[in-house]
Amino acid sequence: MKKIKYIVVVLLGIFAINSCNDSDLELTNPNQLSPETYFKNEVQVQSAVNAAYANLQTRGLYARHIFFALDNMSQENKGNPQLEGNKVPFLNFSFDASSDIIQFYWETCYLGIAKANFVLDNADKINALSNSALSQERKNKFLAEAHFLRAYYYFLLVPRFGDLPIYTSSTTVVGAARSPKADVYKLIEADFDFASKNLLSKSTEQKGRATKEAAYAYLGKALLYQKKYDEALAAFKNVTGFTLESNFYNNFMDETEHGPESIFEIEYDENLGVADKWGSDTTGEGVAESTLRGQEYGNLGWYNVYPSDDILDEYEPGDKRFGDTFYVPGSKYNNGANTMTAANFSSSAGPRRAGWKKYQNYYKRTDENLDSSINFKVMRYSDVLLMMAECESMRAGGVQATAIGYINQVRLRANVPLLATTLTKDQVFTALVHERKVELAGEQVRFDDIIRWGIANTELAGTGFTAGKSELWPIPNRETTSNPNIKPSDNNPGY
């Protein structure tokens, strides 16, 4: 199931690519393999591509910091007293350019971009391999994986920072100035478009790799974020062959990864090794095949955060997703052998109503530990259905009944009443805001949703959110002090 990660672990050390904010980029370790001696066979091509995946697994992203930052900003989380100090500012929007979490996020994304660019810079060498050594279809798909990953990293960056330095080659030796986010989106669109035309389908690709359908889904999402509704909808309609899991919780267990609803996942497998976990903030090097999500959020673990009243109160009576998203007193766990009690939700500040169930290992055991192998399903088919509904509702000439039909596919599984097909456009929007909130709770999408919808000032009232500032993160200090083309005065408004 997770062979791709084994290859990443073994071969990741081939490249030592430094952050794009270094004044003198070193693209290879002189004591290791170099571009001049590399890309001689399929194994080498694949290992170079695999290295670009590894940055998704770092603590700067899905191993630790990304879920805290985005779930805290969306106010789906509240913090228990023991929550570490560097994570509290994302609850009250007091973060600044000195934040190590922001720095790690920036640097690991740009390292991932550099690794993808290293592959693309050597496209001529890859294409020059004989077809007996590597078929043209596989050459194209490896290059398409690099395009997909470059676009994915940029798509992680642009909602957080807005205008960005654009790097399309790993040979850059001086940090670039910020380019308008419209230009960043152009690159993202072009990369996902190339990927959609050249990647393999999920039905034939190795589990864990980017697929044609994932490229179409993210192309659609990038277009949606720019309010290009017709183009986004056209892209989403190419995401075929998927169905919703009959059991919602199958999306969040180790044993049911890559199921019929899963479009793209961030891979983890602690059985492959976790020795370098605490040193893997940005580089993606070493053996760090686990995420801390279980321990950090677990109400029987560190319980650093807990679900907010706002998210708990959003669910309709009878919504099956509530019991698959949260643990509450009376919830069964450990294969049904144990029952959560009120004491299991205690904190030094008093009892809490609930704990997170998504991505927790309690369904099969009695506790969490520092390692979890549960993949992050960062693109699910239910998300695509709801984005299709949004596109259909918002586009010129959109048919509201059609949009409602997409929403109702998601609601049907949740066992909540289906929406009437006679709703107005405004009513459909209200329904979408609710449905995305409860379907995708704790999956790091809500903050971006409310920002792009223009409702953050209302939804985040009283949290410290400041309109015109808090929508974006600051460019980290290490970038503005080392990149000669981005000065502290060039930072985002308010920072």
Side-chain angles (χ1 to χ4, degrees), residues 101-112:
I101 289 176
I102 293 174
Q103 174 189 310
F104 295 153
Y105 188 104
W106 173 281
E107 290 180 356
T108 197
C109 284
Y110 271 110
L111 277 163

Side-chain angles (χ1 to χ4, degrees), residues 4 48 70 374 464 486:
I4 182 176
L70 293 178
I374 302 175
I486 303 179

